[in-house]
Every structure is written in C-alpha cells, then in structure tokens.
Amino acid sequence: MSLQKLFLIFILGLFSLIGILSFFNKSKNPEVQKIDEPGSAIVVELFDEVRPVEKEKDPAAITLSNAHLEEAEVKEAVKEVILPQADRVHELFRKTEPKLPIVETITYKSHVDWLKGRPAWLSDYASHYKTSRHFIARSLHGKPDYFKQDLAIGDRFNVFKRDKDISFYLVIDLSRSKMWFYYYDKGDDERVLLKQYSVGLGRPDGSTSSGLLTPSGAFELGEKIAIYKPKQKGLFNGEKTEMIRVFGTRWIPFEKEIDGDPYKAKGFGLHGAPWIENEKGELVEDKSCIGKYESDGCVRLASEDIEELFSIIITKPSYVLLVKDFFDAKLPGKEK
C-alpha cells in the first residue's frame, strides 16, 4: 500500500473519531443552541425541574424579621397619628369614686352659715361654689338634663372645691378638626386631660395666617354667653333670626387674644351646630358640619358637646388655643 493511501486512511479515521466524539458531547448537552444574532432569545427546555440551590432559612428567623419590619412600620406610623386621649368628664359629675380631685360632693340643706336671712336655693349654691347651675343639675340627676334644677332636702350633688384655683384650656388642632379639653390646677401646677371632641371650623382662606377663616392664636373666653332654644329670635347680620338656626343651643365668645391684638377675637366663638328643617318640616340639629371646614370662622360642636362644655367652663377662667398642630400648643403645668 502506498504512502498516499495510508495518509488518506489516517485522515478519514481522524475525522470519523472527531465525529464520534462530537456526537457523544452533543448527547450530554442536548439543549445548547447557537445564538445567530445579538439579542435573540435562548429557548431552553428543561426535561427535569432545575432550581438554584439556596441555604434553607429558619422559619423563626423569617417571622422575627417580619416582626421587626412591622414594628418599624408601626413606630413610624405611630409618630404621625398617636395623640392623647381621655374620657374623664363623668368624673366631674359622679358622686361616688373615682371622681376628680377638683370637685366635692355636698348635701343640700336650705339653711347654711354662708347665707343669712333666707333659705339657700340652687342658684345660691352655684354662686357660692363658683359652679354653674347646669353643672349642679347634671350631677344631681346623673344625666345631662341641664334645665331640671329643683332640689329637695338631702339631695347630693357635686360642686367645684372652693380651695382649688383652677382654669380650663381648650386646644384646637386646625389641621385635624379636633379639640382637647384640659383643666389646670394652679396650686399643684398640674393639668389633666378630660376629653377630646370633633369640631367644625372656618372655610379655607389663603389670606390668613391660619389658612382658614378661623383664626390661630390663644384667646380668653368671654362672659357674654347665650343659651338658645327653638323660636327664640335675635339679630344676626342685621336681620331678626331664629338664633338656634345659626348658633345651635349654646354660644361662648372669644373675649380677647392673650398677649396680642384684642380685636382679633371679635365676632368669633364656640357654639353648637346649626339647626335646620328636615323633610317633615321639623327643626333638627345639622351634625353634618362637624369635622368640616364650612363656618364663617367660629368653632362648631355637636349639641351634647357644647352643652357639656358650657356647664363646666362658664364659671371659671377658660382659654382656647388654636394651633395648626396639636403639638404646637403651649399648655401650663405638668401633665398628670
């Protein structure tokens, strides 16, 4: 056999070997596809499910991690929304413990050593203890019935303690339409939150510092208070008007701004929600204004709320602080 034939056989055998090896290599990697163009998709069909190997996580660690995340989220939210809350007004009126330390329970008798020459009536007790007749009536009957003021010997009711120098503070958050009601005991330099209320405020007004028709600032409440009933008329904007339709059942005016312009308070005050006629032609309270910005600048409260406040604060120095945010309010004393 010539050398050329041997070389040809060798070449053929070498290519055959390469072909066999290529075949076996392809069978081991059956799904590799050539990419002909940049950006073309690679289609891979998996005969068996393939998953990346990951270290197994401890379920307890997962729970703890989630708990930490939730706690962080809650703390962040709490910073924004948690505000003081209380509901202790009933402790002013109740004749059994617990009751607040600024009140005391007394027993009615017609002859007292601080009034000579005639029997003492409920109005006399109210004047002597600087406690409103409405306050005494509610305590006497155990419910918010402010006009039933008849007394019998031996009746028990609450009054403010004469040796306590107290005043009241109302903090109104203009951004939240909420009000917080405090008493301040000057002797102990302590303040106590009694309750919070929803209020209606003045319409938006970009020309004012508060951004509303309701002013911002600190005001002393005045003595020219009023009680309104259906069919009772008065002058409003120069016209004779049924006052309950405008001011609800109570009116407490702003007297003057503390350390500021005394005229800034003129015309503003706290009052009840206005009353309107319903479909039957009956006069009823319109509570839909509470929580909204619809008034001409006054602060509106539901009837039961303004009547409650009225009964408590009208015989003591009382102040209203109108702020854009509750935490901007500067209150006296230590919180108790």
Side-chain angles (χ1 to χ4, degrees):
M1 185 178 295
S2 67
L3 184 60
Q4 289 181 340
K5 289 183 178 180
L6 286 172
F7 181 76
L8 183 58
I9 292 170
F10 174 78
I11 293 299
L12 290 172
L14 181 60
F15 277 103
S16 298
L17 180 60
I18 290 171
I20 293 168
L21 292 174
S22 176
F23 174 80
F24 281 108
N25 186 53
K26 186 177 180 181
S27 65
K28 290 182 180 178
N29 301 277
E31 303 304 328
V32 176
Q33 177 179 329
K34 181 181 177 181
I35 303 176
D36 295 320
E37 297 177 4
S40 62
I42 303 175
V43 179
V44 180
E45 294 182 2
L46 298 179
F47 296 108
D48 297 310
E49 186 177 5
V50 179
R51 296 179 182 173
V53 177
E54 292 183 356
K55 184 178 178 182
E56 186 176 354
K57 293 184 179 179
D58 182 0
I62 296 173
T63 303
L64 184 61
S65 174
N66 289 342
H68 282 186
L69 178 62
E70 291 170 5
E71 183 180 358
E73 290 174 346
V74 168
K75 284 183 178 178
E76 186 63 29
V78 162
K79 282 171 61 179
E80 297 297 324
V81 300
I82 280 205
L83 294 162
Q85 294 187 9
D87 189 2
R88 304 188 64 183
V89 163
H90 61 282
E91 293 181 40
L92 290 170
F93 299 106
R94 68 190 305 167
K95 298 183 282 288
T96 57
E97 297 296 338
K99 56 188 174 185
L100 289 164
I102 59 174
V103 297
E104 62 179 322
T105 303
I106 61 174
T107 301
Y108 172 69
K109 52 186 179 180
S110 60
H111 296 285
V112 291
D113 56 9
W114 40 265
L115 183 65
K116 304 296 182 182
R118 63 174 179 83
W121 306 108
L122 185 145
S123 58
D124 298 310
Y125 276 85
S127 177
H128 182 71
Y129 288 98
K130 295 184 178 179
T131 305
S132 79
R133 289 178 294 168
H134 290 218
F135 185 105
I136 292 173
R138 176 165 172 177
S139 177
L140 178 66
H141 302 297
K143 59 183 180 180
D145 185 351
Y146 300 105
F147 293 111
K148 188 179 179 183
Q149 299 177 4
D150 50 316
L151 282 172
I153 301 298
D155 281 344
R156 300 172 70 247
F157 52 85
N158 285 4
V159 292
F160 289 119
K161 290 181 178 179
R162 284 172 55 83
D163 61 350
K164 287 288 187 180
D165 186 0
I166 61 172
S167 52
F168 295 104
Y169 284 82
L170 305 172
V171 177
I172 297 177
D173 185 321
L174 299 174
S175 66
R176 296 182 175 94
S177 298
K178 299 289 183 183
M179 181 173 76
W180 287 260
F181 177 31
Y182 290 86
Y183 80 74
Y184 171 58
D185 185 335
K186 188 175 181 180
D188 294 334
D189 192 31
E190 290 180 342
R191 71 174 182 271
V192 174
L193 177 61
L194 296 173
K195 197 171 180 179
Q196 66 278 348
Y197 304 91
S198 292
V199 298
L201 297 169
R203 295 185 299 277
D205 184 345
S207 67
T208 67
S209 59
S210 67
L212 305 170
L213 290 177
T214 303
S216 57
F219 303 90
E220 183 176 2
L221 296 180
E223 296 179 355
K224 294 182 179 179
I225 56 178
I227 297 171
Y228 297 120
K229 297 179 181 180
K231 299 182 180 180
Q232 183 179 347
K233 294 189 175 183
L235 286 178
F236 176 68
N237 290 338
E239 296 183 3
K240 204 167 186 181
T241 306
E242 192 172 6
M243 301 301 278
I244 200 170
R245 294 176 182 261
V246 181
F247 299 110
T249 59
R250 302 287 189 276
W251 163 259
I252 307 172
F254 295 178
E255 180 67 25
K256 61 181 179 180
E257 186 175 18
I258 301 170
D259 297 326
D261 181 359
Y263 296 102
K264 192 175 178 181
K266 188 176 181 180
F268 296 113
L270 307 169
H271 64 78
W275 287 42
I276 60 174
E277 289 185 9
N278 63 14
E279 296 174 353
K280 298 179 181 179
E282 301 167 331
L283 201 58
V284 295
E285 179 186 8
D286 180 17
K287 289 187 178 182
S288 66
C289 66
I290 304 303
K292 296 180 181 177
Y293 297 87
E294 297 179 345
S295 81
D296 291 332
C298 288
V299 178
R300 294 168 165 176
L301 292 96
S303 290
E304 62 265 27
D305 294 338
I306 189 65
E307 290 169 10
E308 181 171 83
L309 280 171
F310 186 96
S311 73
I312 298 167
I313 70 176
I314 60 173
T315 59
K316 301 291 182 183
S318 299
Y319 308 90
V320 57
L321 312 180
L322 296 118
V323 292
K324 289 186 177 179
D325 186 276
F326 169 83
F327 298 103
D328 295 334
K330 292 178 174 59
L331 289 162
K334 306 179 295 289
E335 186 95 20
K336 184 178 178 182

